[in-house]
Amino acid sequence: MAVYLDFWDAIVLASAEMDPEHPALEEHAVGQALELAQLGVQGVVDGGQGMEGEPVLAPEVVAAEPGGDPKTVEIEDCQRSGDWAVVGSGELESDDVLVTATVQRDLFDWWVVEMRIWGEDTC
């Protein structure tokens, strides 16, 4: 679970600093999840304003395989906007957004490898 939370901290940081290549993103994710985060941050850059605040996360492990010593964990997270908003807009990001993620352990560490953000009012 820690890698998922750390990855969202990195997304919030990269969005605030408007840096889709922020090194913190690569410290926690690879593949599709990393690409999705970089695309999201690029959208912030394209909008011309950073983000401030942070979302409220509520992740839960919904599956872990194999049972005794898991190497793959599936996470569902019903996120609320918290105080996460475009700088100066006063409008908060979407509420009740379902995020699903797969985290996997290699020989040395855990990584977020897949993530999908389902959209507003999906949980």
Side-chain angles (χ1 to χ4, degrees):
M1 185 73 71
V3 70
Y4 176 81
L5 296 172
D6 291 344
F7 184 44
W8 272 101
D9 286 344
I11 291 170
V12 168
L13 179 61
S15 296
E17 296 182 6
M18 297 177 55
D19 182 3
E21 300 298 322
H22 198 289
L25 295 171
E26 294 181 359
E27 293 174 9
H28 307 291
V30 296
Q32 183 272 340
L34 177 60
E35 291 173 15
L36 180 64
Q38 289 172 325
L39 284 172
V41 175
Q42 185 62 53
V44 171
V45 172
D46 293 346
Q49 297 174 308
M51 301 288 290
E52 59 188 357
E54 58 187 61
V56 176
L57 309 178
E60 296 182 12
V61 172
V62 295
E65 296 180 6
D69 186 23
K71 292 181 177 30
T72 300
V73 175
E74 302 292 332
I75 295 171
E76 288 186 1
D77 184 4
C78 186
Q79 292 186 6
R80 300 198 50 82
S81 62
D83 62 354
W84 204 28
V86 173
V87 172
S89 76
E91 290 185 31
L92 300 177
E93 288 299 297
S94 303
D95 261 343
D96 300 324
V97 174
L98 176 63
V99 178
T100 55
T102 302
V103 298
Q104 293 182 335
R105 182 170 48 118
D106 64 15
L107 187 60
F108 302 105
D109 214 345
W110 286 92
W111 300 92
V112 180
V113 297
E114 291 182 14
M115 188 166 68
R116 185 165 181 186
I117 302 171
W118 292 87
E120 192 169 0
D121 296 323
T122 52
C123 59

